[in-house]
Amino acid sequence: MSSLPLLLCFFFFTSFVPLFTALTSSPYLSPTILPQNYQKMLKNFKIYVYPPPETLSFDSKVEALFYSSLLHSPFTTQNPEEAHLFFLPFSFHSDLSPRSAARVVGDYRTEFIYWNRTLGADHFFLSCSGVGHGSDRNVVELKKNSVQVSCFPTTPGLFIPHKDASLPPLANVHAPTHAPGSKSTSHLAYVRYNWVKESNLVEQLLADPEILVESEPSDQMTYEERLAGSKFCLFEYGPEISGIGEAMSFGCVPVVITDRPVQDMPLMDLLTWRHIAVFVGTSGGAREIKRVLGRVVVEGYEDMSGSAVVASKHFVWNETPQPYDAFHMVMYQLWLRRHTIRYAEREWA
């Protein structure tokens, strides 16, 4: 590989150093190790892509973009013996039955020798909504052993933390070209239309003059102005939380409202989410949410806002992948999973 891509990656990463040296906490789990490991990944990581079916379509644009980026990347190899991981090029749609999923895996394990070497532990696949459970050995191995790459937020019960990974959602904003730093804000918090749906909580938030709650969808320009003019962006954990990357790019600190642990945040192996977002339950209502936000404003808002901006760079999807963008950071998570457990084969009834 030419040294040029590595130099580009170095300059891309170090361009953020002035920003997070000014922060008391980094958005990264391992800020000193990341650039070194990333360059090793670029040089060494190899993936063998099985022959795809004649027609291949996906549930979401982000899945299709990841697949296209993978196929045109230097990570793929025609030699399966040098591959670290194997990719199953099949769309595991939300309406795919366990029997159909079992048939897909069965075909690949019959035609190729690689699945049986690890019982699928060095394989990964795309499934926006996640693969359901089944009793067939092929489905059991797919679900238990293989890495599932899902859309965010994932379907409850169909995502296994620490094994599976979620795709950063597509963003549809024109983010500032530089970090906002100490932002000038008009609102303490912003709730876009449908970001919070629980009716009692919405009523409580509406009653607070410091919190802007939309009662109808805003146009794109207004949306971006409100992201830029708010300290916090409130999301009820659910489908609408896919806008989290858009909020982060404007330095609007995400506030995730949920009563259960969130274990499917994008880039969990890369980012320290407690330095980027606030997680709060619903039991205390708007009063408790505002109390928590007030504490963050006093104790470390500027750091969180700056960390959110830095982390948002890894949520950017490009038609032609760029260093450290969403595609490359999903690949980095897969790179971290390349050391698989070699499961011993056993007889199935």
Coordinates of all heavy atoms in Angstrom, one line a residue, residues 45 47-50 66 70 85-89 92 115 120-126 142 146-149 330-331 334:
F45 N -5.8 -5.4 7.2 CA -7.1 -6.0 7.3 C -7.6 -6.6 6.0 O -7.6 -5.8 5.0 CB -8.1 -5.0 7.9 CG -9.4 -5.6 8.4 CD1 -9.5 -6.9 8.8 CD2 -10.5 -4.8 8.5 CE1 -10.7 -7.4 9.3 CE2 -11.7 -5.3 9.0 CZ -11.8 -6.6 9.4
I47 N -10.7 -9.0 4.0 CA -12.1 -9.6 4.1 C -12.4 -10.3 2.8 O -12.2 -9.8 1.7 CB -13.1 -8.6 4.4 CG1 -13.0 -8.0 5.8 CG2 -14.5 -9.1 4.3 CD1 -13.9 -6.8 6.1
Y48 N -12.8 -11.6 3.0 CA -13.3 -12.3 1.8 C -14.8 -12.2 1.7 O -15.5 -12.5 2.7 CB -12.9 -13.8 1.9 CG -13.3 -14.6 0.8 CD1 -12.6 -14.5 -0.5 CD2 -14.4 -15.5 0.8 CE1 -13.0 -15.3 -1.6 CE2 -14.8 -16.2 -0.3 CZ -14.1 -16.1 -1.5 OH -14.5 -16.9 -2.5
V49 N -15.2 -11.8 0.6 CA -16.7 -11.6 0.3 C -17.2 -12.8 -0.5 O -16.7 -13.0 -1.6 CB -17.0 -10.3 -0.4 CG1 -18.5 -10.2 -0.7 CG2 -16.5 -9.1 0.4
Y50 N -18.1 -13.6 0.1 CA -18.6 -14.7 -0.7 C -19.3 -14.2 -1.9 O -19.8 -13.1 -2.0 CB -19.6 -15.5 0.2 CG -19.0 -16.3 1.3 CD1 -19.2 -16.0 2.6 CD2 -18.2 -17.4 1.0 CE1 -18.7 -16.8 3.7 CE2 -17.7 -18.2 2.0 CZ -17.9 -17.9 3.4 OH -17.4 -18.6 4.4
F66 N -22.8 0.9 2.9 CA -21.7 0.1 3.5 C -21.3 -1.0 2.5 O -20.0 -1.2 2.3 CB -22.1 -0.5 4.8 CG -21.1 -1.4 5.4 CD1 -20.1 -0.9 6.1 CD2 -21.2 -2.7 5.2 CE1 -19.1 -1.7 6.7 CE2 -20.2 -3.6 5.7 CZ -19.2 -3.1 6.5
L70 N -17.6 -1.4 0.9 CA -16.8 -2.6 1.1 C -16.3 -3.2 -0.2 O -15.1 -3.5 -0.3 CB -17.6 -3.6 1.9 CG -16.9 -4.9 2.2 CD1 -15.6 -4.7 3.0 CD2 -17.9 -5.9 2.9
L85 N -11.7 -12.0 8.2 CA -13.1 -12.1 8.3 C -13.7 -12.5 7.0 O -13.2 -12.2 5.9 CB -13.8 -10.9 8.9 CG -13.4 -10.4 10.3 CD1 -14.2 -9.2 10.7 CD2 -13.7 -11.5 11.3
F86 N -14.9 -13.1 7.1 CA -15.7 -13.5 5.9 C -17.0 -12.8 5.9 O -17.7 -12.7 7.0 CB -15.9 -15.0 5.8 CG -14.6 -15.7 5.7 CD1 -13.8 -16.0 6.8 CD2 -14.2 -16.2 4.5 CE1 -12.6 -16.7 6.7 CE2 -13.0 -16.9 4.3 CZ -12.2 -17.2 5.4
F87 N -17.4 -12.2 4.8 CA -18.7 -11.5 4.7 C -19.7 -12.2 3.9 O -19.5 -12.7 2.8 CB -18.5 -10.1 4.0 CG -19.8 -9.3 3.9 CD1 -20.5 -8.9 5.0 CD2 -20.2 -9.0 2.6 CE1 -21.7 -8.2 4.8 CE2 -21.4 -8.3 2.5 CZ -22.1 -7.9 3.6
L88 N -20.9 -12.4 4.5 CA -22.1 -13.0 3.9 C -22.9 -12.0 3.1 O -23.6 -11.2 3.7 CB -23.0 -13.7 4.9 CG -22.3 -14.8 5.8 CD1 -23.3 -15.2 6.9 CD2 -22.0 -16.0 4.9
P89 N -22.7 -11.9 1.8 CA -23.4 -10.9 1.0 C -24.9 -11.2 0.7 O -25.3 -11.5 -0.4 CB -22.6 -10.8 -0.3 CG -22.1 -12.2 -0.5 CD -21.9 -12.8 0.9
F92 N -30.4 -9.9 5.0 CA -31.3 -10.5 6.0 C -32.4 -9.5 6.4 O -32.3 -8.8 7.4 CB -30.5 -10.9 7.2 CG -29.5 -12.1 6.9 CD1 -28.2 -11.8 6.4 CD2 -29.9 -13.4 7.1 CE1 -27.3 -12.8 6.1 CE2 -29.0 -14.4 6.8 CZ -27.7 -14.1 6.3
W115 N -16.9 -21.6 6.9 CA -17.8 -21.5 8.0 C -17.5 -22.6 9.1 O -17.5 -22.3 10.3 CB -19.2 -21.7 7.5 CG -20.3 -21.5 8.6 CD1 -20.7 -22.5 9.5 CD2 -21.0 -20.3 8.9 NE1 -21.6 -22.0 10.3 CE2 -21.8 -20.6 10.0 CE3 -21.0 -19.0 8.4 CZ2 -22.7 -19.7 10.6 CZ3 -21.9 -18.1 9.0 CH2 -22.7 -18.4 10.1
G120 N -18.8 -20.1 12.1 CA -19.2 -18.7 11.7 C -18.7 -17.6 12.6 O -19.1 -16.5 12.4
A121 N -17.8 -17.9 13.5 CA -17.3 -16.9 14.4 C -16.4 -15.8 13.8 O -16.2 -14.7 14.3 CB -16.5 -17.5 15.6
D122 N -15.9 -16.1 12.6 CA -15.1 -15.1 11.9 C -15.9 -14.6 10.6 O -15.3 -14.2 9.6 CB -13.7 -15.6 11.5 CG -13.8 -16.9 10.7 OD1 -15.0 -17.4 10.5 OD2 -12.8 -17.5 10.3
H123 N -17.2 -14.6 10.7 CA -18.1 -14.1 9.7 C -18.9 -13.0 10.2 O -19.2 -12.8 11.4 CB -19.0 -15.2 9.2 CG -18.4 -16.3 8.4 ND1 -17.3 -17.1 8.9 CD2 -18.7 -16.8 7.2 CE1 -16.9 -17.9 7.9 NE2 -17.7 -17.8 6.9
F124 N -19.3 -12.1 9.2 CA -20.2 -11.0 9.6 C -21.2 -10.8 8.5 O -21.0 -11.2 7.3 CB -19.5 -9.7 10.0 CG -18.8 -9.0 8.8 CD1 -19.4 -7.9 8.2 CD2 -17.6 -9.4 8.3 CE1 -18.8 -7.2 7.2 CE2 -17.0 -8.7 7.3 CZ -17.6 -7.7 6.7
F125 N -22.3 -10.2 8.8 CA -23.4 -10.0 7.9 C -24.2 -8.7 8.2 O -24.1 -8.2 9.3 CB -24.4 -11.2 7.9 CG -25.1 -11.4 9.2 CD1 -26.4 -10.9 9.4 CD2 -24.5 -12.1 10.2 CE1 -27.0 -11.1 10.6 CE2 -25.1 -12.3 11.4 CZ -26.4 -11.8 11.6
L126 N -24.9 -8.2 7.2 CA -25.8 -7.0 7.4 C -27.2 -7.4 7.7 O -27.8 -8.2 6.9 CB -25.7 -6.1 6.2 CG -24.4 -5.3 5.9 CD1 -24.5 -4.7 4.5 CD2 -24.2 -4.3 6.9
L142 N -25.3 -18.6 13.4 CA -25.3 -17.2 12.8 C -25.6 -16.2 13.9 O -24.9 -15.2 14.0 CB -26.4 -17.1 11.7 CG -26.5 -15.8 11.1 CD1 -25.4 -15.5 10.1 CD2 -27.9 -15.7 10.3
S146 N -21.7 -15.2 14.7 CA -21.3 -14.3 13.7 C -21.6 -12.8 14.1 O -22.5 -12.6 15.0 CB -22.0 -14.5 12.4 OG -21.7 -15.8 11.9
V147 N -20.9 -11.9 13.6 CA -21.1 -10.5 13.9 C -22.2 -9.9 13.1 O -22.2 -10.0 11.8 CB -19.8 -9.6 13.7 CG1 -20.1 -8.2 14.0 CG2 -18.7 -10.2 14.5
Q148 N -23.2 -9.5 13.7 CA -24.4 -8.8 13.0 C -24.2 -7.3 13.0 O -24.0 -6.7 14.1 CB -25.7 -9.2 13.8 CG -26.9 -8.5 13.2 CD -28.1 -8.8 14.0 OE1 -28.7 -9.9 13.8 NE2 -28.6 -8.0 14.9
V149 N -24.2 -6.7 11.8 CA -24.1 -5.3 11.7 C -25.4 -4.7 11.4 O -26.0 -5.0 10.3 CB -23.1 -4.9 10.5 CG1 -22.9 -3.4 10.4 CG2 -21.7 -5.6 10.8
V330 N -16.7 1.7 11.1 CA -17.3 0.4 11.2 C -16.3 -0.7 10.9 O -16.3 -1.7 11.6 CB -18.5 0.4 10.3 CG1 -19.1 -1.1 10.2 CG2 -19.6 1.3 10.7
M331 N -15.5 -0.5 9.9 CA -14.4 -1.4 9.6 C -13.5 -1.6 10.7 O -13.0 -2.7 11.0 CB -13.7 -1.0 8.3 CG -14.5 -1.0 7.0 SD -15.2 -2.6 6.7 CE -13.8 -3.5 6.4
L334 N -14.9 -3.9 13.2 CA -14.8 -5.3 12.7 C -13.3 -5.7 12.9 O -13.0 -6.9 13.2 CB -15.2 -5.4 11.2 CG -16.7 -5.2 11.0 CD1 -17.0 -5.0 9.5 CD2 -17.5 -6.4 11.5

